[in-house]
Amino acid sequence: MSDKEFITKHYNCKYCNKTHEIQISKEMLENRRKYPFPYVFLHDNIQDGQVSELLTILYIDQDGRIRGQEIQELDNDNLFSREQVIAIVKPLSEEIERLREDNQILKQKLENVEK
């Protein structure tokens, strides 16, 4: 993908006090069901020689502006909380079901054309 297909944003993390550059595909901004939408990325925080992983959720509006943020320090045992797993899995399951239904419709149409 070329640079024309991405927008570059700079995000100042209040947890680690660093500025991060993120690139968001312009395709991600189009035809969303709702705005702002979550954009998730991980980054490290090094403090007193200790490294911790930070899960950062940025809320991006239709014009690509950052409208909000959430930051969570991850422990080494569980990458995601139960609530986060549910929030991730539910939309994926719904999309899988929608694709399954679309697949069935297309199979039926194909069978009708072959007859």
Side-chain angles (χ1 to χ4, degrees):
M1 292 188 154
S2 70
D3 289 342
K4 293 179 182 179
E5 296 175 24
F6 290 92
I7 61 169
T8 301
K9 292 293 176 182
H10 293 90
Y11 158 71
N12 185 25
C13 177
K14 296 181 187 336
Y15 192 95
C16 70
N17 293 318
K18 292 183 183 171
T19 299
H20 302 277
E21 181 179 283
I22 59 169
Q23 289 193 329
I24 301 170
S25 164
K26 289 181 181 177
E27 191 175 297
M28 286 182 68
L29 296 174
E30 299 171 357
N31 303 319
R32 305 295 295 199
R33 289 188 180 160
K34 66 179 191 174
Y35 295 94
F37 67 92
Y39 178 85
V40 179
F41 71 98
L42 291 171
H43 67 279
D44 295 331
N45 179 43
I46 302 173
Q47 188 173 0
D48 300 327
Q50 299 293 320
V51 178
S52 59
E53 295 288 329
L54 302 176
L55 176 73
T56 304
I57 304 172
L58 300 178
Y59 294 94
I60 311 296
D61 71 10
Q62 191 169 8
D63 298 318
R65 291 184 294 243
I66 299 170
R67 294 298 186 170
Q69 62 183 315
E70 290 181 46
I71 303 167
Q72 180 177 1
E73 185 174 7
L74 302 175
D75 62 25
N76 293 331
D77 295 333
N78 296 312
L79 181 60
F80 298 106
S81 70
R82 183 178 192 289
E83 292 80 16
Q84 289 169 322
V85 169
I86 291 170
I88 292 168
V89 171
K90 185 179 177 199
L92 291 175
S93 297
E94 291 169 355
E95 183 67 12
I96 289 169
E97 180 60 23
R98 188 190 65 75
L99 290 170
R100 188 193 66 74
E101 290 170 0
D102 288 350
N103 187 34
Q104 286 300 107
I105 292 168
L106 290 173
K107 281 182 179 180
Q108 186 62 43
K109 287 181 178 181
L110 183 59
E111 287 175 8
N112 291 340
V113 168
E114 290 176 347
K115 291 179 183 178

